[in-house]
Amino acid sequence: MTLLVPLYVHPAVDPAAWESVAEAPSRMYAVVLNAADGPGSSPDPAFAAAAGALRSAGVRVLGYVDTAYGRRPRREVLRDLERHRDWYGTEGCFLDRTDPGAAGLRACRGLVRAARGRGARTVVLNPGVHPAPGYARAADLLVTFEGHWSTYLGSFTAPDWTTRHPPERFCHLVYGVPPALAGLAARTARERGAGVHCAAPGAGPNPWNRPPALPPEDAVSPRTAQNPLRTEDPA
């Protein structure tokens, strides 16, 4: 188990949050940098410094890019990706609000190829639900749950096609998790087939403004690879 951490708080507002994730590189899959629902309109020196500190510590940094469920023009999405790369030295991208439908898969694959052509070594897709088969092969990591802890504790059924992929392909992002239950959240994600997760304590309009409590070492295993094997053929 490793952690994908969306950390949507300014480094000048909460420097300790950024320091905490930099202090646990072996537990991190990546940290998602989100300056202003994307890279912002101009470089922010505080985010550049925070991203540099994470990279120096051995933590992968991904740039947040909203795809608006496939409605944003590709040129805008790629512009954001390039700004993240040029301004903050990101190693890849976190494509949020990915269209989960089968009709959007071809366009998504094209977008991922274009992102890789612009230097994105790691691409994460976040439909927030289980999408149509094929999306797991389109990128390095697929977020199949994003929601509150109370919802996550309810019934959860993964489609049969997910068993054809290793757990390292899947991620669950859960907020509103009491810090004392970080270990339970990690075990629950693992039992539900996700090898990457985040259990953040925050809630409200921006639940990702606080870093997750690190679960006990026996609840997660050290990262075994910087990038899971990726292919782009259909499931």
Side-chain angles (χ1 to χ4, degrees), residues 1 152 172 184-198:
M1 295 291 298
Y152 193 57
H172 295 167
L184 173 61
R187 291 191 297 273
T188 302
R190 182 173 56 195
E191 291 166 359
R192 293 177 172 183
V196 183
H197 85 296
C198 182

Side-chain angles (χ1 to χ4, degrees), residues 4 6 69 94 96-98 100 124-131 141-159 161-162 167 169-177 185 188-190 192-200 207-208:
L4 174 67
Y69 300 107
F94 177 86
D96 196 24
R97 299 203 298 166
T98 304
V124 177
L125 302 178
N126 181 25
V129 297
H130 284 99
L141 186 67
L142 183 65
V143 179
T144 55
F145 179 90
E146 181 178 2
H148 194 274
W149 175 239
S150 60
T151 303
Y152 193 57
L153 289 175
S155 60
F156 183 93
T157 302
W161 63 261
T162 61
R169 287 278 191 173
F170 301 105
C171 174
H172 295 167
L173 299 179
V174 189
Y175 55 84
V177 181
T188 302
R190 182 173 56 195
R192 293 177 172 183
V196 183
H197 85 296
C198 182
W208 307 113

Side-chain angles (χ1 to χ4, degrees), residues 74 77-78 81 93 95 98 105-125 135 137-141 230-232:
R74 180 185 292 194
V77 172
L78 295 176
L81 186 150
C93 55
L95 299 179
T98 304
L105 180 56
R106 182 176 180 180
C108 181
R109 285 182 175 142
L111 177 60
V112 171
R113 286 193 294 269
R116 296 204 192 283
R118 286 159 174 78
R121 295 194 296 274
T122 302
V123 178
V124 177
L125 302 178
Y135 279 89
R137 294 182 182 271
D140 298 289
L141 186 67
R230 63 171 183 263
T231 58
E232 294 188 356

